[in-house]
Amino acid sequence: MNKPTSIPGQFDAVVVGAGFSGLYMLYRLRQLGLSVKGFDSAGDVGGTWYWNRYPGARCDIATPDYTYSFDPELEKEWTWSEKYATQPEILDYLRFVADRYGLRPDIEFSTTVTSARWDEQEKRWTITTGRGEEIRCRYYIMATGCLSMPKSPDIEGVGRFGGQVYFTSRWPHEGVDFTGQRVAVIGTGSSGIQVIPLIARQASQLTVFQRTPNFSIPAHNGPAPADRLKQLDEDRDGYRHAARWSRIGVPNEPTDVLGVTASEAVRRERFEAAWRQGELVGIVSVFADQLLNPASNDIVAEMIREKVRSIVKDSETAEALCPKDHYFGTKRPCLDTGYFDTYNLPHVRLVDLRKQPIVSITEDGIETADESFGFDAIVYATGFDAMTGALVAADVTGRDGLSLKEKWAAGPSTYLGLMTAGFPNFFMLTGPGSPSVLSNMAVSIEQHVDWVAGCLKDMREEGFETIEPTELAESGWNQHVQDCAAITLMPTANSWYMGANVPGKPRVFLPYIGGVDGYRQACDDVVGQGYLGFRLTGPDGARCRDGVIRSMQPDVAMVLELIATLGLPPMETLSAADARALMAATAETRPPGPEVGEVTDGVIPVPAGELPYRLYRPAAPPEGPRPLVVYFHGGGWVLGNLDSDDPLCRDLCARSGSVVVSVNYRHAPEARFPAAALDAFAAVQWVDANAIELGGIPGQLAVAGWSAGANIAAVACQLARDAGGPHISGQVLICPVVDSDMTRLSYDENGDGYILTTPLMRWFWDHYADPADRGDPRAAPLRGDLRGLPATCIVAADFDPLRDEGVAYARALEGAGVPVRLARARGHTHTSVTMVGVVISGAPVRAEIGQALSDFFPAPNHKSS
Ligand code: NAP
């Protein structure tokens, strides 16, 4: 295989699309010596830049970055004339590239690929075109772009209008002269915002129909940024390398300034600098947390709204142009040239469709709920069926007759955004699940194409004919894509990123927001691990190393990376005193946790002396007593105190609506086994006996703990059962230590690299209990009698050495007839679930804990008297 084939109608590869990605793909495939055929429904190269010829169309990534970088000679031969190139100039560039590498002869223009079908016997694709041709190929590559399938306007009466109709996405080649005309523009996304000021220059009347105002900043177009050109001049390779390993494909020093904690002066200075710079990369990174934290986002959003109000003279129009229904950046922000100023012109009017929706397009114009408008021309800038539209429309049928449309009925499913299971040798460039539209496309496209070319080369060298992702790898990637989005504000918006602009389209976050750098690393890691998650087949057999490339929650991974940069000594190399000091120092830097109604400190008299406690009372109604939860902090029986788990206790209190009593017990090595366990039991007895004074409901008592705290909580339950009381309604054990056996698989898998390590766990045990005592059920409750214990919720984290003992305890309790809820902290470590306000992905797990606590008790309005 893979020798250029000369059989008519047979090619090694077919590439659909002759835009940025298709052209480079053709070039790379040719370099590999493959026979290639390209198709495009357009009359020439250019892709999106062929079709979107409306006046004002420009790229909104600065030209030094929006350019191919695969060939230094090419870079030398082309000079961009502006910071943001116009559509004609970009089209010229792509024509120049096509000619320079002689790509056109391999491309059939004005030809639509109407279907593609996989032949399992032949291990080939059969491609059919609108001209009736049939072509067979080994590899089928869709380079059809993310924003190439225009959305049909979902407006009553479209088609009825007797005047001229234009779509920004299909602009006439000969151009349009609007001089003296009454023109309507529907849509105020990037296309609308670019075209409106230019139409306003010609039209006698311009009426803009706006459904959702968009955030836009001035592009400040002009010459290409001199600093960037200088950097490129001095070190082109270094510059390109930095772009490839940046977050959005443009070199940019990430900030660690948080909007919520920055001073007013810093906020203003950073915002104004980004406003002056006029680049998307700057305005989306004013603060490190602006896409994560609503409060931080509001700061940037309000500053932009202030600017709009300062530009637009009519205050009602200004207010209507101020976006308020979505967080900044959750819909694609725009760059404009004089957009808001356009509304100061006397012949330009904004119609706010939120106030007067369109009822219908009529023969003469547009009718809204309040008015009838007459027009000579209507321009639709209504957007695209983004990311999936063009792929699904191409009628791709994989193995066993499964079509892509059927497979993706509930939303797209891909591995790395590059391939999809059931469709061997079918590649997508910038497909759903890749960074694509959230990045500088030029950089992302080159990465994709290079990966596909590298893959085909590797296959050839290793004698494989087909490649296809496994279901496991693909579902793992889909989950990772959604996990990355879930920690941001992105899913909250009705954006095309979410498929929300197309009626009936499944609501799924389509691109990958884990960064160009993170994505590149994942792709490289897949290859480095022998094409992890891909099944490769050839005449000599198959190979498949199945697995999931990213299963850790993205914010957990970020925290681990951050901790690694601090260069802290391993805890187990420290004295107990130094370890405690280190833990206290880190506790000081975290967010405080949610507000609760009241926090009071006190002491519990126990046989061994006094135990400090901190009580958290919920803020919300109902008034009156609440169930009680006695909580024990983590820290391996050695570390921790009332402060260490304070944010978590607040969170548990707020979520469960219970009074939480956090108890500080005696620590090892000063007080060794069984001191902590006995203290825990004594504390539970005291809280039960003093329920009324503590604001609790007598008889409604649960215990909870994290790590070693969960260990003594579990032991307290066993001791209470043995002693005939107090009655405990339930126990929540978060990543509990329940056994001293350190040979379980989760120790093998997670004993290194995730904060709680095997050596640290050994250090904890050595401080706490003699080896002879470690089998005692008061140290290892898994080894005790589990009958008659209260209902239990156990949290087991994927990347925790203790995961399997938590699971074992759940199974053993079930076996003993105890109702058990096992909450899997997917993608979490031993500590991450407890990082309130830091690890956003821990919130759903803590919500489940809060629910479990509530479920232990009768509903508040049915509580026993
Ligand atoms: P868009 O962002 O989806 O905007 C479509 C606009 O049409 C929105 O304002 C939308 O309102 C409105 N609309 C859609 N259906 C409507 C209806 N039935 N009634 C009233 N209004 C309706 O599309 P776009 O402006 O073409 O941009 C799409 C993407 O292409 C951009 O986000 C960007 O990624 C890319 N693009 C880039 C550039 C550039 O590089 N400079 C230029 C153009 C486009 P709602 O928001 O209420 O749905």
Side-chain angles (χ1 to χ4, degrees):
M1 71 137 202
N2 290 345
K3 291 245 159 39
T5 161
S6 54
I7 305 170
Q10 287 222 17
F11 294 89
D12 292 321
V14 161
V15 178
V16 185
F20 248 101
S21 57
L23 291 179
Y24 182 45
M25 191 76 246
L26 270 176
Y27 169 78
R28 287 301 312 267
L29 292 171
R30 271 209 204 152
Q31 270 193 329
L32 287 178
L34 301 186
S35 60
V36 196
K37 176 88 177 164
F39 291 101
D40 201 305
S41 53
D44 197 359
V45 299
T48 197
W49 301 108
Y50 175 89
W51 296 108
N52 290 270
R53 296 163 180 257
Y54 58 87
R58 288 176 189 272
C59 69
D60 52 16
I61 295 285
T63 43
D65 302 297
Y66 193 72
T67 191
Y68 287 120
S69 69
F70 64 87
D71 183 349
E73 293 306 311
L74 172 66
E75 286 200 59
K76 276 188 219 154
E77 290 166 24
W78 185 268
T79 307
W80 294 101
S81 63
E82 288 178 279
K83 176 182 174 188
Y84 295 114
T86 59
Q87 173 269 334
E89 187 173 11
I90 303 171
L91 193 55
D92 277 351
Y93 172 68
L94 292 172
R95 286 188 183 129
F96 167 75
V97 171
D99 291 339
R100 189 185 190 283
Y101 298 100
L103 299 174
R104 281 175 205 271
D106 284 343
I107 308 169
E108 204 171 306
F109 293 106
S110 306
T111 307
T112 306
V113 170
T114 50
S115 73
R117 182 170 288 271
W118 174 249
D119 182 337
E120 180 68 12
Q121 288 295 314
E122 295 289 321
K123 306 263 183 282
R124 278 188 164 74
W125 286 94
T126 304
I127 313 294
T128 311
T129 73
R131 295 173 187 268
E133 293 164 289
E134 249 191 23
I135 288 117
R136 289 167 79 71
C137 62
R138 178 77 78 194
Y139 309 111
Y140 179 45
I141 301 167
M142 295 274 277
T144 40
C146 297
L147 295 152
S148 48
M149 173 64 69
K151 185 189 98 151
S152 25
D154 43 342
I155 304 174
E156 179 65 30
V158 169
R160 216 183 281 167
F161 182 58
Q164 296 299 312
V165 173
Y166 303 102
F167 288 83
T168 49
S169 54
R170 292 289 180 271
W171 204 257
H173 284 214
E174 60 281 9
V176 183
D177 184 0
F178 290 109
T179 307
Q181 294 193 11
R182 297 164 305 153
V183 182
V185 175
I186 303 177
T188 51
S190 298
S191 306
I193 281 177
Q194 286 186 332
V195 81
I196 285 164
L198 280 272
I199 294 180
R201 286 190 199 165
Q202 293 184 334
S204 62
Q205 267 179 41
L206 171 62
T207 311
V208 177
F209 291 84
Q210 169 194 274
R211 190 163 62 185
T212 311
N214 243 320
F215 289 100
S216 185
I217 68 160
H220 300 307
N221 200 17
D227 57 335
R228 215 97 38 102
L229 294 179
K230 184 163 174 277
Q231 285 176 48
L232 274 165
D233 238 22
E234 286 168 4
D235 179 12
R236 187 166 296 268
D237 289 351
Y239 185 91
R240 297 294 180 215
H241 179 85
R244 291 180 189 126
W245 288 98
S246 68
R247 214 159 164 74
I248 68 166
V250 176
N252 188 41
E253 199 53 50
T255 179
D256 55 5
V257 175
L258 302 179
V260 278
T261 51
S263 68
E264 184 51 37
V266 169
R267 288 172 180 171
R268 179 59 62 185
E269 186 195 318
R270 292 189 61 79
F271 172 77
E272 292 293 345
W275 185 267
R276 277 194 306 276
Q277 185 197 25
E279 292 198 33
L280 290 176
V281 64
I283 198 71
V284 299
S285 49
V286 176
F287 305 124
D289 58 344
Q290 73 187 54
L291 210 49
L292 308 173
N293 188 331
S296 175
N297 193 286
D298 279 347
I299 297 166
V300 182
E302 189 49 32
M303 288 184 181
I304 297 177
R305 287 190 287 260
E306 274 173 24
K307 294 281 188 192
V308 175
R309 291 181 190 118
S310 73
I311 300 169
V312 180
K313 299 203 170 76
D314 176 68
S315 59
E316 199 183 326
T317 306
E319 222 37 54
L321 286 164
C322 285
K324 290 172 202 130
D325 76 333
H326 62 279
Y327 293 110
F328 172 66
T330 57
K331 290 180 92 158
R332 168 69 141 69
C334 308
L335 286 186
D336 71 86
T337 301
Y339 174 65
F340 292 113
D341 249 336
T342 302
Y343 292 96
N344 293 327
L345 298 171
H347 65 294
V348 177
R349 175 175 169 196
L350 181 75
V351 174
D352 182 354
L353 297 181
R354 301 276 177 207
K355 290 198 176 139
Q356 48 167 324
I358 295 178
V359 175
S360 175
I361 308 287
T362 63
E363 281 194 2
D364 305 324
I366 296 175
E367 193 178 311
T368 68
D370 296 348
E371 281 173 79
S372 283
F373 297 82
F375 294 114
D376 302 310
I378 298 180
V379 174
Y380 291 96
T382 42
F384 299 86
D385 183 352
M387 300 210 73
T388 55
L391 293 167
V392 165
D395 190 13
V396 187
T397 306
R399 194 184 298 106
D400 302 326
L402 180 70
S403 75
L404 198 60
K405 192 172 179 182
E406 287 160 348
K407 178 171 174 182
W408 287 7
S413 173
T414 72
Y415 187 31
L416 303 169
L418 283 164
M419 298 196 82
T420 186
F423 297 76
N425 291 1
F426 168 57
F427 297 90
M428 293 161 276
L429 303 179
T430 67
S434 77
S436 57
V437 291
L438 296 174
S439 68
N440 173 5
M441 276 289 197
V443 167
S444 285
I445 283 169
E446 285 194 335
Q447 185 273 344
H448 273 228
V449 170
D450 289 343
W451 193 94
V452 173
C455 168
L456 299 187
K457 182 167 174 283
D458 289 345
M459 284 171 70
R460 175 165 66 191
E461 282 168 8
E462 294 176 47
F464 292 115
E465 287 176 343
T466 73
I467 181 166
E468 179 188 348
T470 68
E471 300 279 353
L472 175 72
E474 183 169 310
S475 64
W477 183 255
N478 293 333
Q479 184 67 62
H480 178 57
V481 171
Q482 297 310 314
D483 285 346
C484 290
I487 61 170
T488 73
L489 300 169
M490 296 301 267
T492 61
N494 288 325
S495 62
W496 59 255
Y497 297 134
M498 294 295 296
N501 65 328
V502 176
K505 192 166 172 173
R507 195 181 166 91
V508 179
F509 191 70
L510 296 167
Y512 177 64
I513 199 169
V516 165
D517 48 353
Y519 176 77
R520 182 180 291 271
Q521 190 62 59
C523 290
D524 289 356
D525 288 352
V526 163
V527 176
Q529 293 176 43
Y531 285 90
L532 181 76
F534 282 107
R535 184 183 313 282
L536 295 130
T537 70
D540 301 329
R543 190 185 81 196
C544 178
R545 197 166 161 234
D546 208 355
V548 172
I549 192 66
R550 293 284 182 266
S551 47
M552 181 171 281
Q553 291 287 350
D555 47 358
V556 175
M558 281 189 261
V559 168
L560 288 178
E561 276 168 32
L562 187 74
I563 291 174
T565 62
L566 300 177
L568 299 173
M571 200 75 109
E572 66 275 13
T573 61
L574 303 178
S575 66
D578 287 347
R580 285 170 191 156
L582 181 63
M583 196 156 159
T586 31
E588 274 180 19
T589 61
R590 5 157 249 202
E595 288 284 327
V596 294
E598 191 186 353
V599 179
T600 48
D601 284 357
V603 290
I604 301 174
V606 292
E610 286 186 334
L611 305 179
Y613 76 83
R614 183 167 296 164
L615 182 144
Y616 303 83
R617 189 180 309 284
E623 296 299 321
R626 302 295 187 100
L628 285 159
V629 176
V630 187
Y631 175 84
F632 302 103
H633 64 76
W637 308 282
V638 179
L639 316 171
N641 50 37
L642 297 181
D643 293 331
S644 61
D645 291 28
D646 184 78
L648 179 62
C649 288
R650 289 169 176 275
D651 195 76
L652 292 181
C653 170
R655 287 180 191 279
S656 69
S658 303
V659 169
V660 173
V661 184
S662 171
V663 178
N664 200 7
Y665 46 90
R666 283 174 292 162
H667 290 154
E670 294 84 351
R672 285 166 64 84
F673 170 83
L678 297 182
D679 284 356
F681 181 45
V684 172
Q685 287 175 306
W686 183 84
V687 171
D688 179 64
N690 294 278
I692 293 174
E693 292 78 1
L694 295 170
I697 303 169
Q700 291 194 16
L701 177 77
V703 297
W706 166 53
S707 191
N711 169 275
I712 60 175
V715 173
C717 287
Q718 295 192 11
L719 295 177
R721 176 207 51 200
D722 295 346
H727 168 73
I728 298 175
S729 304
Q731 56 177 337
V732 165
L733 310 177
I734 306 167
C735 305
V737 188
V738 285
D739 199 10
S740 47
D741 174 4
M742 294 168 66
T743 62
R744 288 189 170 82
L745 181 63
S746 52
Y747 266 100
D748 272 358
E749 289 179 355
N750 307 320
D752 183 23
Y754 307 122
I755 301 179
L756 178 65
T757 61
T758 303
L760 181 57
M761 201 57 220
R762 196 170 290 124
W763 187 81
F764 285 142
W765 273 114
D766 289 346
H767 278 74
Y768 183 50
D770 291 339
D773 290 328
R774 294 182 195 174
D776 187 314
R778 291 170 305 165
L782 179 60
R783 302 189 189 195
D785 177 4
L786 306 185
R787 289 168 301 179
L789 287 174
T792 303
C793 169
I794 292 181
V795 177
D798 284 356
F799 293 92
D800 184 358
L802 305 181
R803 178 196 66 207
D804 290 352
E805 62 193 74
V807 173
Y809 201 51
R811 299 281 169 260
L813 285 165
E814 269 168 359
V818 175
V820 176
R821 175 175 188 155
L822 180 61
R824 179 182 164 205
R826 190 174 50 74
H828 279 274
T829 62
H830 183 73
T831 44
S832 57
V833 171
T834 68
M835 293 180 171
V836 177
V838 175
V839 173
I840 297 168
S841 63
V845 183
R846 292 194 305 278
E848 192 170 351
I849 296 171
Q851 188 58 52
L853 282 171
S854 312
D855 291 348
F856 290 151
F857 307 113
N861 44 358
H862 300 126
K863 62 180 176 254
S864 51
S865 53

